[in-house]
């Protein structure tokens, strides 16, 4: 039996974010296969009761680092705290979400522990007792299986003969386990050294973005627009449809470059990779770079005037026609149903 | 003040085609270009240079000798110098082994007050190298930066995070990983192109970088690619025409099937 499997829980604006529970769904199977406990690590401030949803979500153990200096998330401090804890408790696997927090913290932790790190995994399993990580590259056109072999010899200046195998996983690529409120486990309250808690970065302020719905990385439904929307004002149709479907609005690179949508909405190789349950591509022709960002969607609907547009090759359901005709009809029909 | 920009040469994505039969990306004979997201880092460095007297900008790239082309492009955009870090010993480097080389090169060529990098490369798509270099150098890691402002000894950054923007400050030296939102990269002028063409591109080897050989290349990489496969990206599409009538109903039916 080796060390525990750790997942890095994520606090946003003082609340536990649902990616924390997705990570437990990933970790549960791995920990069971290995026959080791599954633990979640939470860093933050004012964390009373945070362990409950984590136990219900599959954790056997919760490490809580609760201190006012972690009120704002600083990746340098978080990495130092996690490095200190990894040296003390020797987990064999650490999984974080590929969010701005996870993607900033895990590389720093990899440098500190000299541990292998694989980005943006879409599959995790155990092979011969080690973590097999599957990740897409080159816009999803290549799937690579990556492992961190056991270190056989040589000293590690970081004092770890066998550093943890680490990865980030794509948000929403797995659903949380059905919560079981009867589950409970061990809470370990950990006090890091003062030096580990210090950050070189100082938080000044946060401005929330005023948009319809969740950030596209978190959305279950994305209604995305491209050049076929023919103008910024027609994006109001997408807002309306997104609202009706409890979704968020995305955009192609073309639409962003034309100023019709903010960069935060861009889906594709130079934007975000998204994994909604439903992706509705409106007036998007389907350049390879765009398809790369939306290929993780469970189901795809495309609306485009050109029957030969590549987007139809990446869609499950297609409507050949103008979005400016089809969308108002669809919105009308959905409104009719809502009544 | 000295600014370093970390860049990568990648296969040009604009011309990428998918083989319609196999669904596999056709990579043969592809042109290479500077990673599109790195252009924003170069642009930001050049803008800082233009508005601040006494700033010099050095672009660094690790890769095969041909990656000198990327360094030349950076000079064409307005960087003062370009350096290619190349050695057979670097082959097979994962993100940690790559970051070690870049961090040591930055130390050798520095000290730099600011290091800029793009969000991620469009080929490997890990986004790990920038934050890794910051940690190895022990400088503040400013990630997802969509705006930068300088004081005399510190930098203020606007960070694009989920659901909004965060403003933070950090002392110099610092490393900023910038996102596309920060600026629109300029096109190279004719005189810029000539400057890039004639620029002397510095070359650094493993010995010049001064990193032990076992810290880089395949030996220095904790991770191993054990298998590569090419998934089909195409789906079976049920297509209807909007003209025929019933298209919207069918679409509504499909949405209900998905159950969102």
């Amino acid at each position: 039996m080796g060390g525990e499997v750790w997942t890095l829980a994520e606090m946003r604006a003082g609340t536990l974010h649902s990616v924390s529970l997705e990570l437990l769904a990933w970790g549960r199977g791995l920990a069971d296969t290995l026959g080791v406990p599954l633990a979640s690590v939470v860093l933050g401030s004012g964390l009373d009761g945070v362990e409950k949803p984590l136990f219900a979500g599959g954790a056997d153990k919760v490490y809580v680092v609760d201190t006012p200096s972690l009120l704002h998330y600083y990746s340098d401090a978080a990495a130092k705290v996690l490095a200190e804890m990894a040296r003390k408790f020797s987990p064999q696997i650490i999984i974080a979400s590929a969010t701005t927090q996870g993607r900033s913290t895990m590389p720093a932790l990899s440098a500190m522990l000299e541990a292998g790190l694989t980005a943006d995994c879409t599959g995790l399993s155990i092979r011969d007792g080690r973590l097999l990580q599957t990740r897409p590259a080159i816009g999803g056109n290549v799937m690579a299986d990556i492992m961190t072999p056991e270190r056989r010899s040589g000293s590690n200046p970081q004092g770890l003969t066998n550093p943890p195998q680490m990865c980030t996983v794509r948000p929403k690529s797995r659903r949380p386990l059905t919560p079981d409120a009867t589950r409970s486990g061990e809470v370990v309250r950990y006090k890091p050294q003062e030096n580990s808690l210090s950050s070189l970065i100082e938080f000044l302020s946060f401005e929330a973005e005023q948009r319809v719905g969740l950030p596209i990385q978190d959305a279950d439904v994305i209604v995305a627009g491209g050049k076929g929307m023919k103008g910024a004002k027609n994006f109001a149709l997408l807002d309306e449809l997104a609202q009706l479907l409890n979704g968020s609005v995305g955009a192609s690179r073309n639409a962003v470059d034309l100023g019709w949508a903010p960069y935060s909405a861009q889906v594709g190789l130079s934007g975000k990779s998204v994994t909604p349950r439903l992706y509705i591509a409106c007036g998007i022709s389907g350049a390879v770079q765009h398809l790369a960002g939306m290929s993780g969607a469970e189901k795809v609907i495309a609306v485009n005037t050109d029957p030969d547009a590549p987007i139809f090759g990446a869609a499950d359901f297609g409507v050949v026609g103008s979005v400016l005709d089809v969308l108002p009809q669809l919105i009308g029909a959905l409104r009719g149903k809502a009544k | 003040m000295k600014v370093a920009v970390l860049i990568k040469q990648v296969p040009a994505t604009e011309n990428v085609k998918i083989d319609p039969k196999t669904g596999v990306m056709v990579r043969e004979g592809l042109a290479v270009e500077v990673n599109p997201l790195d252009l924003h880092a170069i642009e930001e460095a050049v803008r800082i240079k233009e508005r601040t007297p006494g700033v010099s900008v050095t672009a660094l790239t690790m890769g095969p000798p041909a990656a000198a082309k990327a360094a030349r492009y950076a000079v064409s955009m307005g960087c003062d110098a370009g350096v290619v870090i190349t050695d057979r010993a670097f082959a097979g480097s994962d993100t940690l082994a790559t970051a070690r080389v870049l961090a040591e090169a930055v130390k050798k060529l520095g000290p730099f007050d600011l290091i800029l990098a793009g969000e991620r490369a469009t080929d490997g798509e890990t986004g790990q190298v920038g934050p890794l270099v910051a940690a190895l150098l022990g400088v503040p890691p400013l990630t997802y930066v969509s705006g930068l402002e300088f004081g005399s000894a510190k930098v203020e950054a606007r960070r694009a995070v989920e659901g909004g923007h965060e403003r933070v400050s950090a002392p110099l030296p610092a490393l900023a990983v910038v996102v596309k939102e920060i600026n629109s990269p300029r096109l190279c002028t004719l005189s810029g192109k000539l400057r890039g063409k004639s620029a002397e591109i510095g070359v650094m080897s493993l010995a010049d970088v001064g990193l032990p050989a076992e810290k880089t290349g395949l030996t220095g990489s904790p991770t191993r690619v054990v298998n590569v496969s090419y998934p089909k990206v195409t789906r079976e599409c049920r297509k209807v025409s909007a003209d025929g009538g019933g298209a919207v109903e069918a679409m509504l039916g499909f949405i209900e099937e998905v159950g969102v």
Side-chain angles (χ1 to χ4, degrees):
Chain A
M1 179 167 133
E4 296 164 348
V5 173
W6 282 12
T7 63
L8 187 54
E10 188 160 325
M11 300 295 294
R12 282 192 209 161
T15 38
L16 187 74
H17 192 269
S18 59
V19 292
S20 316
L21 305 176
E22 294 171 21
L23 291 175
L24 290 170
W26 281 103
R28 188 66 264 169
L30 302 176
D32 288 344
T33 307
L34 291 165
V36 300
L38 173 63
S40 194
V41 184
V42 201
L43 312 181
S45 175
L47 299 180
D48 285 345
V50 77
E51 67 278 4
K52 281 179 203 142
L54 294 168
F55 287 138
D60 300 312
K61 197 172 180 181
V62 177
Y63 292 91
V64 179
V65 184
D66 189 347
T67 154
S69 51
L70 289 174
L71 176 62
H72 299 295
Y73 194 90
Y74 304 116
S75 62
D76 54 346
K80 282 191 288 178
V81 169
L82 290 166
E84 185 187 317
M85 293 176 73
R87 286 183 193 126
K88 189 173 166 70
F89 300 106
S90 305
Q92 61 176 308
I93 291 171
I94 305 180
I95 314 169
S97 200
T99 55
T100 60
Q101 287 189 16
R103 285 168 168 280
S104 303
T105 307
M106 293 298 271
L109 189 57
S110 156
M112 289 172 191
L113 299 174
E114 304 213 293
L117 172 63
T118 304
D120 225 6
C121 297
T122 53
L124 297 177
S125 59
I126 301 294
R127 182 196 280 177
D128 303 329
R130 302 286 290 176
L131 182 64
L132 181 72
Q133 306 156 115
T134 304
R135 73 177 299 265
I138 323 182
N141 288 288
V142 173
M143 295 300 282
D145 289 338
I146 295 173
M147 296 185 87
T148 302
E150 204 156 354
R151 192 170 280 155
R152 293 217 181 90
S153 62
S155 64
N156 183 337
Q158 309 305 322
L160 285 177
T161 46
N162 217 350
Q165 308 161 74
M166 311 203 304
C167 62
T168 59
V169 294
R170 280 202 180 168
K172 302 203 77 81
S173 44
R174 177 157 303 188
R175 257 171 250 173
L177 304 172
T178 309
D180 176 357
T182 63
R183 287 185 92 260
S184 71
E186 185 190 350
V187 178
V188 180
R189 295 191 184 279
Y190 185 76
K191 288 232 177 313
Q193 294 169 11
E194 273 310 306
N195 169 54
S196 297
L197 289 167
S198 69
S199 171
L200 293 163
I201 299 168
E202 189 192 346
F203 174 86
L204 300 174
S205 63
F206 181 77
E207 317 141 36
E209 195 165 11
Q210 299 304 316
R211 295 194 9 236
V212 171
L214 293 163
I216 52 171
Q217 305 96 297
D218 289 339
D220 268 335
V221 177
I222 295 174
V223 183
K227 235 170 30 187
M229 293 304 297
K230 302 226 167 99
K233 66 176 197 319
N234 294 329
F235 264 64
L237 288 171
L238 303 180
D239 282 341
E240 226 178 322
L241 182 57
Q243 228 153 16
L244 285 164
L245 295 171
N246 280 323
S248 301
V249 174
S252 71
R253 194 181 84 175
N254 271 328
V256 171
D257 287 351
L258 287 163
W260 299 350
Y263 170 63
S264 55
Q266 187 181 322
V267 174
L269 215 45
S270 51
K272 305 278 187 306
S273 287
V274 293
T275 45
R277 296 192 54 212
L278 177 64
Y279 189 87
I280 307 183
C282 304
I284 294 176
S285 63
V288 171
Q289 301 93 287
H290 185 78
L291 302 185
M294 43 77 70
S295 59
E298 207 171 294
K299 293 287 176 197
V300 177
I301 296 178
V303 184
N304 203 296
T305 44
D306 174 7
D308 299 321
I311 190 75
F312 289 119
D316 302 284
F317 186 86
V319 177
V320 181
S322 162
V323 280
L324 301 181
D325 298 334
V326 174
L327 287 185
Q329 289 180 49
L330 182 66
I331 289 165
L334 278 165
R335 282 204 195 292
K337 283 214 175 278
K339 272 178 197 153
Chain B
M1 192 170 111
K2 284 180 76 175
V3 177
V5 193
L6 310 179
I7 61 174
K8 185 182 186 187
Q9 184 155 285
V10 298
T13 52
E14 289 298 330
N15 310 313
V16 169
K17 294 272 183 299
I18 299 287
D19 183 321
K21 288 204 183 78
T22 59
V24 170
M25 187 167 79
V26 183
R27 299 195 69 191
E28 282 77 32
L30 272 187
V32 290
E33 62 180 8
V34 178
N35 172 40
L37 290 167
D38 294 348
L39 297 178
H40 300 274
I42 300 172
E43 175 67 31
E44 197 58 23
V46 173
R47 286 188 189 187
I48 292 166
K49 175 187 155 77
E50 284 168 349
R51 61 174 186 251
T52 327
V55 170
S56 74
V57 181
T58 305
L60 281 78
T61 186
M62 173 178 144
K69 198 180 152 200
R72 281 190 197 287
Y73 192 86
V75 173
S76 299
M77 276 181 72
C79 293
D80 298 282
V83 176
V84 57
I85 312 157
T86 186
D87 199 304
R88 281 182 184 280
F90 299 150
S93 291
D94 70 1
T95 53
L96 179 58
T98 301
R100 284 184 184 130
V101 172
L102 289 169
E104 289 307 308
V106 164
K107 281 190 212 162
K108 280 272 145 47
L109 296 169
F112 289 99
D113 303 282
L114 179 70
I115 302 129
L116 292 166
E119 187 187 345
R120 62 178 189 275
T122 50
D123 54 354
E125 290 192 273
T126 71
Q128 289 178 176
V129 173
L132 267 164
V133 171
L136 291 168
L137 292 172
V139 300
L142 302 166
T143 51
Y144 299 95
V145 170
S146 63
L148 272 178
E149 269 173 59
F150 282 92
S152 51
K154 64 171 199 169
V155 58
E156 257 187 52
R158 190 165 184 262
R159 301 182 61 227
V161 297
E162 293 85 355
H165 288 85
E166 184 183 274
R167 273 178 55 245
V168 296
S169 83
L172 295 175
L175 184 145
V177 181
V178 304
V179 294
K180 177 180 166 168
E181 187 182 329
I182 194 168
N183 57 39
S184 306
R186 68 195 64 196
L187 297 171
C188 298
T189 60
L190 186 59
S191 65
K193 278 183 191 159
L194 291 171
R195 213 152 44 85
K197 212 169 176 182
S198 61
E200 197 160 312
I201 298 300
V203 179
M204 289 178 93
S205 66
L206 176 67
D208 296 329
V209 170
L211 188 72
E214 69 269 18
K215 288 288 180 193
T216 188
L218 205 54
T219 331
S221 299
T223 61
R224 291 279 179 281
V225 176
V226 295
N227 183 47
V228 170
S229 56
Y230 301 90
K232 266 185 100 140
V233 289
T234 51
R235 300 178 189 229
E236 284 300 315
C237 186
R238 181 150 66 91
K239 233 188 281 182
V240 299
S241 167
D243 300 334
V248 167
E249 289 70 24
M251 199 173 169
L252 211 53
F254 186 87
I255 293 173
E256 275 167 8
E257 254 173 63
V258 179
V260 289

